[in-house]
Amino acid sequence: MLESDLTFTDDYGLYDPQFEHDSCGVGLIADIRGRKSHQIVKDCLSILCRMEHRGARGAEENSGDGAGILTQIPHKFFVDECSRLGFDLPEPGEYAVGMFFMPQGEEKRDLCQNILLKVIHEEGQRFLGWRDVPTNNATLGETAKGSQPFIRQVFIGKGDGIGDNAHFERKLFVIRRWAKELITRAEKDLAERFYAASFSSKTIVYKGMLTTEQVREFYPDLLDERFESGLALVHSRFSTNTLPNWNRAQPLRYIAHNGEINTLRGNVNWMHAREKRMRSTLFGDDLPKVLHVVDDDTSDSGAFDNSLEMFTLAGRELPHAIMMMIPEPMFEGDRMSDEKRAFYEFHSCLIEPWDGPASITFTDGEIIGGVLDRNGLRPSRYCVTKDGLVVMASETGVLEIDQAEIVKKGRLQPGKMFLIDTRAGRIVDDEEIKHKVAIAQPYRQWLDNNLISINDIPHPPFVHEPDHETVLARQRAFGYTDEELRILLAPMFEKGEEAIGSMGNDTPLAVLSKKPQLIYNYFKQLFAQVTNPPIDAIREEIVTSTDTMIGPEDNLLEPVPACARQIKLNSFILNNVELEKLRLLGESESEFGKFGFKSITLPMLFDREHGAKGLEWALDGLCHLASKAIEDGYDILILSDRQMSEYRVPIPALLAVSAVHHHLIREGTRTHCGFVLESGEPREVHHFALLLGYGATAINPYLAFETIHDQILNRELEIDEAKAEKNYTKAVNKGVVKILSKMGISTIQSYLGAQVFEILGLDKSFVKRYFTRTPTRIGGIGLDAIAAASLERHSRAFFPDANAKNLELGGNYQWRSAGEAHRYSPQSIHLLQKACRTGDFSLFRRYSDLLNDQTKQQGTLRGLLKFKAVPNAIPIDDIEPVEEILKRFKTGAMSYGSISAEAHESLAIAMNRVGGRSNTGEGGEDEERYTPAENGDSRISKIKQVASGRFGVTSHYLVNAEELQIKIAQGAKPGEGGQLPGNKIYPWIAKTRHSTPGVGLISPPPHHDIYSIEDLSQLIFDLKNANEKARISVKLVSEAGVGTVAAGVAKAKAEVILISGHDGGTGAAAQTSIKHAGVPWELGLAETHQTLLRNKLRGRVRLETDGQLMTGRDVVIAALLGAEEFGFSTAPLVTLGCVLMRVCHLNTCPVGVATQDPRLRTKFSGDPQYAVNFMQFIAEEMREFMAELGFRTVNEMIGRLDVLEEVEGSGLDLSKILFKPEIAADTPNFQQTKQDFALENTLDKRELLEICLPALMHDAKVEASLKIENTDRAVGTIVGSHISRKFGSKGLPDDTIKLHFAGSAGQSFGAFVPHGMTLTLEGDSNDYIGKGLSGGKIVVFPSKAATFAPEDNIIIGNAAFYGATSGSAYISGVSGERFAVRNSGVDLVIEGVGDHACEYMTGGTVIILGQTGKNFAAGMSGGIAYVFDEFDEFPGLCNKQMVELTGIDDADEIEFVKDQVFRHIELAGSPLATAILLDWDNSVSKFVRVIPTDYRVVLDAQKRMIAEGLSKDDAELAAFEEVTA
Amino acid sequence: MGKTTGFMEYARTLPILGDALSRIGNWSEFHDHLPEDELRNQGARCMNCGIPFCHTGRMMNGATIGCPLHNLIPEWNDLVFRGKWREAYERLALTNNFPEFTGRVCPAPCESSCVLGINEDPVMIKEIEVSIVDRAFDDGWIVPRPPLDRTGKRVAIIGSGPAGLACADELNKHGHTVTVFEREDRIGGLLMYGIPNMKLEKSLVQRRVDLLAAEGIEFRTKASVGTDISLDELKQDFDAIVLCCGAPKPRDLQIEGRELDGIHFAMDFLTHSTKTLMTDDAITPIDVKDKNVIVIGGGDTGTDCVGTALRQGCKSVVQFEIMPRPADRTATHDGWLSTVRTFQVDYGQSEAEAVFGDDPREYSVLTKRFTSDGRGNLNGLETVAVRWDAGQLNEIVGAENFWQVDAVFLAMGFTGGEDTSFFNDLGVETDKNSIVTVNESKQTNISNIFAAGDCERGQSLIVWAIADGRRAAAAVHSFLLSKSKLSAIVSDEI
């Protein structure tokens, strides 16, 4: 198949279209009073062009990812056009226009058209005529051209009997859906080629696979002066790949979406499941013609658009429909009105939130507006002019507007709606719209009459008691191990916490293990990376919700009070009492019957004697029983394995749950019942996450509770039973919330059935049947093997051996002789250390042989690959030398802090000696290491990591790198942040991290400047500006879909993409994450290589891989699968002394590797030479393989899948890994061209460098004034990098360079600027201003021409001063969300901030002269904020988990604040500050001082020590010792 | 679990062995338990390793790394630290049939493989082990637990050393009917007569034998197979036979004067000495009271000879070792488990030093010739100092020496098994040293005859013997039931 013939639904190799992502820029213009003009269309297209940098292009510069515009129907224009074509249009509203993409071939097109005409006729509407849309594809790229559809408009007159306009729209919808259905029935592959971009009497959409500029060129209609509209909405798409697709361009029919729906799979499944219960008086008999609601193969945005359309046409107002799909978060202490709360509560009985980062603009042609997700993860700025024009877009400054004309500058706020009603001619604020919707029905009353709490149900007369006698047998039957009890469950029982571990996973994949496995172990958790952010469920708890309700659902389209007939649970974990309550609801005669629910318990067991067949029969039977129960009116199903016996074996609970769930979805009855599991099997967090993800609503893990009881009886557990149960439930809840937050999902309700997992090692047809639509790419075992494992466990339990006094040992988390196999074993460690320490290559070979041994190595996918016998072996002397190969080697990112200085520096020296690269990790680097030692050894880490915490990321740090690595995820714990407890922040660690010794540090789960792909693109651009000489690398973790993400990353201009395997190491992570998140690098690397090839992007980037690369063979396979560079971490650490203690998280490493304890560091026995030997041995082994395979250089070997084949008999199918896409012969297999960053277009290169030359040459003062636009991004960063290079970390003297800008600054204004630079901005700025500020000064104030009050208007965007380390800034106006997140040393003054300000802050000061948003100071562990709290509102908005609020009483502090306020007036001319200062004596008492408690304690101690006469350094150490003692 | 910083807080302590001078005055066990607090601290030193090398049980570079029984050492160290002695015992008993023996006489490869030993003194694993099991006996946790069902299968075990007893114990627990044949007058093999009483009180051996008997194992002493019981009888009466008859043939020193009176194999000396203690039967002990004694061989058996000679009241004692003195323990940079032999002082040497003022050991010494008093009695021996060059032994010219001596004990290890004729009669294949050839399941060339311990492995450690006995039992069990149901706790997998 040729590339051009592909459509995006093709699924081949490891690539799967369901993982395509897109993200973008959106914008709209509306005239509040609905006045139509061509100017609006023209301006909106200009906006689109000004957001070009938010979209992307593929391999071809002229093929865009998609762009388009939605407008009102340009009646004037069409009247003329149509009459020219020979037909007349009726009055506006009396006709509709359909904008159709159809096949180019005439025959197929005729088929489509004929069916469409027939349906129009049948539905009683009048066909008026066709219009071929003029197009001009001259500037389009080959890909876009090759897939260009035939674009034709159809005009339809309103038929007789059509009432209002809504009725007409509904009819059009029926025609569109039904025509499509009939066309698809006629010819299946026309489904994708007959597409209505719009079909409405009010709006029309012009879009396509275009760049922003191309929209107006391609559609000459849009340039026609007669083309008028009162509103317009544009969208520019950044897709993760460039496979040809015109349909997915936006706007869609009602919305344009910037962001991503994380819960899509679940939303679509549930939507589908609810269709059977849908009834609509408005649609009447037409309803079946429009179902399914969600089109197959549409994007997340498309699915959202589909559902929104359905809800609206079935009778809801547009804002109402949006509110139910994207509800505001509710939390304790919020100030939400009861009506609104009732509205949301009622609707949560109907539908789960569509969750994920989203800025959605929507319109029905009359009202137009925008809404933001609950987290506020996308930017959206607007301004309103005196003339009644509203301009809203992802960025400010996208349209030139006279600042004097502006009455208001605002932003969309998290969970809030912004609406313009052009009929009413006004802007309707969030409160008003929502209030109106919320009081439309007496929702509170409906809830009161129907919704009950489980606590309302009386205590049951009978509850199962623990049975001590049989606990052991049942534990054995469910595969409990001793290790699980000791390592995983003990901390849950005792402390309510998940078990923490360290190092990586080195055990086999479940399917390759020789130990019997629970089915859970075949599932790997997916996680958010790049295209959407993981969230922080702890620090941002206010946006999460664990509410769980159970009960049947009713008609989603026209809800009735009874829809609220649900039972509210305390948690998705049910204790035995709660379960019995639910069970008794079935007894209609008893007091439990009065609640009106009917429950039934279905046995989840199979007959031992029937073996595997028995399991299959039992599953069928269970599905049948479930259907029957629903038919009989039961509305709560309880699947139970309580009745397990000698003869009856429990069905694996996850299998039973998912089988029944999918059966009922297929049958359309899933929402007729609530679904409860009563099982002895689940106990780990991963188990619960899976059960919820595959359809269970609530779970009673009775055996886990009995284990608690048993352990207390056995004195294993010395804690009160009720307390232990509570702890356990808490730990599971927390753990599950963490898993869903890794995926960026914030509510349990949206997670139910969301199936965010990938399967490794289960058979495809088995998965299709029981775990429908879960990716399983390597095949594997099926029902037989699963039954066998169950039977084996069951036999051990009920027919035990005489010696079976105990549980199986386990050996998964720690090595045990009879336990699970580990690649790091006593023998491999011994051989590796000895070989590398004595320089003995023959010993190293023994080590490699041990690991490579096919029979034992089958724990990994690479173990299942072997080299084909190749005829053209070549002499080893012809192979490129070891030195050449070593340049490709790197050590992994291990932070200074997680490992000792000795270990960190040894690795750096070793890599510098061999010409490879070591990595700083995320902890910064002491600049002393930039100076080489006398013997020539250098301790510098050539790779500088930029992770979410941004510790020590300064301009000077960045310029001292050869490679800058953006860590998106880490193999051991993808999607998670980290926490370094205070007792590890020794003074020397605090120094490189710019923090306070003894005070804990938090790395957020996401980068707060990367919530989507275009954000990453921006960060890459920023870093390239910060160091032009460094390669920019992006580290991803292998999971299904990573190839698609990587394609996006390549388009975002990364130069290196690292695909990390799931089994990489960590200094500390939850065991659940270490074991169950992510997949091996083999899959991710192969998928990435294939996808990049397919998108013609492979030649632009270098691919790197890591994650348990241990031998030359491992590396050769990585190269053959597509990698150019290779990372090693654990193995070199072992050569330096690591013996896999797995106590890195405890600071007790007894060999001085992973500890900061000075006593233990003395025990470090490593030497850089050992790691050097390791690298050389690996390279030497590679050469031997290369000789055998006939490759002279590594480059020749990259991507050469043809020399690999599968080992026979593994039971797995690796053909997708070995798949080679059909591509043109000259498609590069490895990086050959450089990314073009177009830095010459930056303001710095165009003008600033020249202006600043005197300062850079001989630190002379310079000053200049310039204009600035939103397309000028990262202004000042390049100049800053020159300063850091030349003058070091100290920079230049204050105010050496003074630059004044006027206009709207693009993103990342002043990023990383160092000391000596002062940037003044008159106007406003977009997101990320002052990112990583490294000593510079930034001042922002509104245009002098502006007439609005600065303190009431937004002036800078989101995530301002993120990760800033030093310097100062004065902002006259209000910022967006997440102001000063991770600030570690900047002094800031501002007049108001959005939600989550000062999150994770560790140093510096922030003075806020006005209001703050919610969740202020979450995770703040250092620094001080002073909030001018005029109306005493602040305490309710502050997250007080870590901070204390006081007044300012210290005279020095008062002086400091006053001085800063004064400077704010001086520099930013703030009227507000002037007012405050004028009334200073009053004002000072209104300041609230926010200081983290731990930080204060340390500062007090330091102060005391200094007072006692200690030097500053000694005082730091003494204070550290005191607080950590 | 455990105390994460225990190893940083507590030092390894010394075992309580009693004063050397006073302990040689009797034959009683000289080892005493540490107080409970101290034991808990010692348990707290365990680091709960990600890879507990102590538990490995594998041969690497010719040395035993970790415990061949795969004792769950980190688990019971932690339980001891937490004062959960009974649970600790249950853990210990899972893998080890006779901790009261191993805790006393095993050379503890677990300790030399303890990760803490990389740069500190290792955890006192052996001390903790013996403390656990002794408490279990003292507190009555160990009582006979005969199997509930009998399979009706009969197994004969030839030899009652640690391998035979472990094998018998395991098979009996599985309900098979086990008979142990021992040609000596007491059960226990080397445990009974090979190890002197002060290291292992014979009452402890008997206590375990009594326990096993109470659980239904039949012991037949003075029952030499092939003599007291015919092979045919054996084959007819039993469904399976397990050979656990050791590798008792000592390595000899065939030099001039070897035939002289006063030159003995160490094992004869030790056996006679113990028998004398335990019986009134008129046997002729080898008595070295007031004699000059030389022990040739630097191993454990040699040390036992030193201790025994001292207790008999010898006039002097010297112990020859052909190897040079090992280095004192220093941190090695060659990587973990480089298995460097380090200098150790065992009980015999410290006792000799207490009596005579010097360590009795002479290193790099090769015995060339025994000399006679002319009446067929030994009166001296001649030696030469040697040098080892790259594993090659060279005599140093001019470094000859003469030693006046009345008794010499040869403690140079063992070369092989029983008489070949015995195995020939059984039809079992052996190698040239009469070591029985077995497959991975410890099965010989005859399907229902198995072998375990030194007789199939060659001379080795007690822990290997027990491990082999267990493995053979597992194999016999599955052979008898034709399917495996044994827990896989004993395994060589790595």
Side-chain angles (χ1 to χ4, degrees), chain A residues 858-890:
Chain A
Q858 303 222 332
T860 61
L861 295 180
R862 56 193 173 278
L864 302 180
L865 295 173
K866 62 179 182 188
F867 304 115
K868 285 185 194 160
V870 183
N872 50 336
I874 48 179
I876 194 153
D877 293 340
D878 291 1
I879 316 291
E880 64 179 329
V882 162
E883 293 67 39
E884 208 45 48
I885 296 176
L886 288 171
K887 292 179 187 162
R888 298 170 179 273
F889 287 6
K890 298 167 165 179

Side-chain angles (χ1 to χ4, degrees), chain A residues 482 486 714-716 718 799-803 805-806 809 813-819 824-827 829-830 833-834 837-838 846 850 856 1137 1139-1143 1146 1148-1151 1157 1159-1160 1163-1165 1170, chain B residues 1 4-5 7-8 47-53 55-56 58 60-61 70 72 74-75 79 82-84 87 91 93-94 115 118-120 170 173-174 332-338 477 485-489 491 493-494:
Chain A
D482 178 65
R486 271 190 306 123
N714 292 338
R715 298 194 312 133
E716 279 293 319
E718 283 154 352
F799 305 93
D801 187 80
N803 275 6
K805 287 179 288 208
N806 63 317
L809 289 175
Y813 301 93
Q814 291 174 322
W815 185 92
R816 287 292 182 271
S817 70
Y824 284 104
S825 65
Q827 217 177 2
I829 286 181
H830 163 65
Q833 281 201 350
K834 185 144 189 180
R837 287 178 170 228
T838 58
R846 275 178 59 198
L850 181 74
K856 288 189 178 166
V1139 285
L1140 275 284
M1141 286 295 294
R1142 297 184 186 275
V1143 292
L1146 301 172
T1148 57
C1149 176
V1151 289
D1157 191 314
R1159 290 170 294 174
L1160 295 173
K1163 297 179 187 298
F1164 181 75
S1165 68
Y1170 307 157
Chain B
M1 147 170 171
T4 53
T5 52
F7 73 102
M8 296 163 72
M47 302 190 295
N48 187 25
C49 300
I51 301 181
F53 285 73
H55 148 102
T56 303
R58 250 197 101 90
M60 287 202 255
N61 297 338
H70 306 302
L72 300 168
E75 279 95 326
L79 290 165
R82 292 193 286 149
K84 297 181 185 299
E87 289 76 8
R91 272 293 121 113
L94 277 178
V115 175
I118 293 175
N119 47 38
E120 294 281 347
E170 289 295 302
K173 281 180 185 149
H174 285 291
T332 165
H333 286 280
D334 282 357
W336 175 222
L337 289 178
S338 289
H477 178 65
K485 276 180 148 192
L486 268 200
S487 69
I489 283 170
S491 154
E493 267 182 59
I494 193 154

Side-chain angles (χ1 to χ4, degrees), chain A residues 966-1133:
Chain A
I966 302 170
K967 177 178 99 169
I968 297 294
Q970 174 181 351
K973 47 171 175 178
E976 290 180 59
Q979 199 163 356
L980 201 56
N983 62 10
K984 284 197 179 176
I985 316 285
Y986 287 78
W988 49 93
I989 299 300
K991 185 183 161 207
T992 67
R993 295 195 177 216
H994 296 240
S995 72
T996 314
V999 175
L1001 296 174
I1002 299 165
S1003 305
H1007 289 252
H1008 280 291
D1009 53 358
I1010 311 178
Y1011 297 145
S1012 79
I1013 188 85
E1014 78 268 16
D1015 288 348
L1016 174 69
S1017 166
Q1018 179 62 39
L1019 178 59
I1020 290 172
F1021 182 77
D1022 296 341
L1023 293 178
K1024 197 69 187 179
N1025 276 269
N1027 182 352
E1028 289 175 60
K1029 294 179 189 166
R1031 304 195 306 191
I1032 313 294
S1033 153
V1034 174
K1035 177 177 179 178
L1036 303 173
V1037 170
S1038 186
E1039 66 174 327
V1042 72
T1044 326
V1045 170
V1049 172
K1051 288 163 74 173
K1053 304 210 172 143
E1055 297 169 281
V1056 182
I1057 298 176
L1058 163 55
I1059 304 291
S1060 264
H1062 65 144
D1063 41 16
T1066 174
Q1071 294 285 14
T1072 306
S1073 307
I1074 295 177
K1075 286 287 178 189
H1076 302 298
V1079 300
W1081 57 256
E1082 290 94 318
L1083 275 166
L1085 175 63
E1087 183 191 334
T1088 301
H1089 184 65
Q1090 287 169 20
T1091 310
L1092 291 177
L1093 279 176
R1094 199 180 165 192
N1095 284 287
K1096 298 180 191 153
L1097 294 164
R1098 182 63 185 89
R1100 287 204 207 170
V1101 289
R1102 285 174 83 79
L1103 269 185
E1104 178 186 345
T1105 203
D1106 68 12
Q1108 301 263 352
L1109 293 180
M1110 292 174 73
T1111 68
R1113 183 182 187 275
D1114 288 350
V1115 179
V1116 167
I1117 291 196
L1120 294 172
L1121 293 180
E1124 282 143 297
E1125 301 187 3
F1126 315 94
F1128 309 86
S1129 301
T1130 310
L1133 280 189

Side-chain angles (χ1 to χ4, degrees), chain A residues 135-137 139 211-220 223:
Chain A
T135 56
N136 169 12
N137 65 8
T139 62
T211 65
T212 55
E213 289 284 351
Q214 285 168 353
V215 175
R216 53 186 166 197
E217 293 161 7
F218 184 77
Y219 290 115
L223 298 176

